[in-house]
Each structure stands twice: as C-alpha cells, then as structure tokens.
Amino acid sequence: MRATTVWQALMLPPWRLFVTRWPWVALLYAISGVLMTVVLVPALILTLVALPLWGMLAAVFERKRLRLLGAERPASAHVSVPPGERHHWLTIRLTEPATWRETLAMLGGIVFGAVNLCSLFAQAVILIVLVVLPLQARVAPVDVLVFADLRMRLGPGDWWMPLLLLPVFLAVAAYMNLALAAAQGVYVRWLLDPRADEIDARVAQLTRSRAAIVTAHESERRRIERDLHDGVQQELVGIAGVSGSSTSSWQRGIRPPRAPRCSRRRIRRSVRWRCSGRPYAASIPPCSPITASVRRSTNSPAAPRSR
C-alpha cells in the first residue's frame, strides 16, 4: 500500500519508509515549524496587542503547510465581509470564534516548534557524534562516556562499531519527526476546520438581523404615514381653506377679521416650515394644489388697511 499521508507513513515498516519521501517531508515540516517559531516569538513579544492578527496570518501558512502532510487544505472559517462593511472588518473578525481558534493554533504551533527545535538539535548532535567518532577512532584510541560510569573504548580495530547504530538512529529520528508532524497536523487541522454549528449560528444571526431591519423599516414607514395623515395633511388643508376664504374675501372687497399678531406669526412660520420641504419633502408633491395655494397666500402682498 502506498502511503499518501503522514498518518499512513507512520504505519510503514522502516525498510519501506526509507524508500519514500515521508522522512524528508517530516524533516521539512519540522524545519518550517522551527522557522515560524523563530519569526513569531520576537514579533509577539514586540506586538502583543496584535495577537489575533498574527494568529490569522499564521493560519494562512498553516493551511498551506498541511498540504505537505498529504491533508486537504481546510477552508477558512471566517465569514466574508461585504465591501460596504470593510471599515468594520477588525470588529467582525474579533467577534468570530474562528479568529481565537487560529490564535490558539498559532500558540500551539509555537510550542510544537520549540519541541521540534530541541528534537532537531539533539538529532544533529547524535548524528555528528556517530559520524565523527569512528573517524577519530581510526587514528587513535578514544574513550567514550556512554551513560553515567559506563565507558566504551574505541580503537583502530573496532572503530566501525558506532556505525552499526547509525541505521537504528536514522529510523528512530524519522519516526519521531513523523510522529511530531502528525500530532501537529491533527492539532492544527482540528482548530482550523470550519464548525458547522458556528456556520448555522451565523446564518441564524444574519436572518434575525435582516428580519429586525425589515420590521424597523415597516414600523418607521407606518409612523411616517400616520404623522402625515394626522398632522401635516390636516394642517395644510386647514391653512389652504383659510387662505382660500381670505383670497375670495379680498377679491370681493370684504375685509376679513384680522387674526391676532401672534397667531399670524405662528401660521406664517408653520407654513414656511411645512412648505420648505425639509421634514416631508418626499411626501408632499411640489405641484400639489394645496402647496400652490399656501405659497400664493403667503407670498401675496398685504391689502391696505382702511382707516
């Protein structure tokens, strides 16, 4: 069976594992994790406030790195922001659970990167010892401290003995790198995968918000209709009737009773404000007979007072 993912490669025996690309893929994945850790740790120390932003940026690279392990690239769990709401982008992202899961994935990736760094350093030291020690033993006897008080002496006659441990060490190192890569891949993928319940919650929230907007719009429309019917329309009809009767009286030469000064001032102010179109410009037609009558009455010169 051909291994197509890192999890399948862990099940292969050593003699089949070393003829595949997975030991090198695991090594590359570990090195890239170490490099991300080296870059992110100073950045987080300097800009701790921007922790969620670094988490979202690191999640982009983590999704791409998962393809090295043979896994499918997980889709983004963020909602799309419309062009008209781009100025609220940061607020929307900070209220999403996916942002904080990506931040947690970044922090876990830093921990895995530190573990990989220690593992790679130990592997490099052991590999150098296993290669350099036989070369020194061929020239002169060498005393090697194996563990505690256990020592081993190598000379020109048995210099090749450490080389027997080299295949065992390579197999252990390969499986260790594969296990770390698989564990980090499972951890990152579990955090970055979209959640069906979160998507349903977002859809329900969007539906409720749209229903609330429609309800508020309908209520406001009914309120405006009620105000126009009960307030402005009756006032304009009354003013039009008064102005019409006043105009006909002036034409017949009959002087109508003069209203108090305060009432005239209040009527003129109300007529100018209502006919200016400020509050109800969209509701009163500009060519309405009522509006024309009111404007004529307010713009006509006052008749001379008889003595």
Side-chain angles (χ1 to χ4, degrees), residues 69-91:
L69 305 180
E72 294 182 359
R73 181 177 179 178
S76 176
H78 295 288
V79 297
S80 58
V81 181
E85 298 291 333
R86 294 291 172 82
H87 54 287
H88 296 306
W89 179 86
L90 183 59
T91 304

Side-chain angles (χ1 to χ4, degrees), residues 55-129:
M56 288 186 286
L57 181 61
V60 176
F61 293 99
E62 289 290 355
R63 291 188 180 94
K64 294 181 178 179
R65 289 208 312 146
L66 282 175
R67 301 184 63 180
L68 289 174
L69 305 180
E72 294 182 359
R73 181 177 179 178
S76 176
H78 295 288
V79 297
S80 58
V81 181
E85 298 291 333
R86 294 291 172 82
H87 54 287
H88 296 306
W89 179 86
L90 183 59
T91 304
I92 295 174
R93 288 292 181 258
L94 291 179
T95 56
E96 290 179 326
T99 301
W100 302 104
R101 289 203 310 270
E102 290 174 352
T103 305
L104 188 59
M106 179 192 64
L107 298 177
I110 292 176
V111 175
F112 275 103
V115 174
N116 285 324
L117 178 61
C118 297
S119 175
L120 292 178
F121 179 77
Q123 293 174 22
V125 171
I126 295 174
L127 182 62
I128 291 173
V129 170

Side-chain angles (χ1 to χ4, degrees), residues 16 34 43 45 50 79 83 85 136 141-142 146 154 171 208 224 233-234 237 240 264 267 270 279 283-284 295 302:
R16 292 187 57 185
V34 170
I45 294 175
V79 297
E85 298 291 333
Q136 292 181 351
V142 178
V146 179
L154 298 176
R208 288 194 301 268
I224 293 176
Q233 185 177 1
Q234 295 181 4
V237 170
R264 294 200 306 271
I267 290 174
S270 176
S283 304
I284 303 175
R295 288 178 178 175

Side-chain angles (χ1 to χ4, degrees), residues 223-235:
R223 187 188 66 80
I224 293 176
E225 288 180 355
R226 186 171 58 253
D227 291 345
L228 289 175
H229 183 271
D230 298 339
V232 178
Q233 185 177 1
Q234 295 181 4
E235 290 183 9

Side-chain angles (χ1 to χ4, degrees), residues 144-151:
V144 181
L145 179 62
V146 179
F147 179 75
D149 296 334
L150 180 61
R151 291 181 174 273

Side-chain angles (χ1 to χ4, degrees), residues 8 10 18 31 37 41 53 57 141 143 146 153 170 191 204 209 215 227 262 274 290:
Q8 295 176 356
L10 278 172
F18 283 106
I31 293 175
T37 302
V41 168
L53 300 179
L57 181 61
D143 289 333
V146 179
R153 183 176 180 84
L170 293 178
L191 288 174
S209 62
T215 304
D227 291 345
C262 60
R274 298 295 185 185
I290 297 176

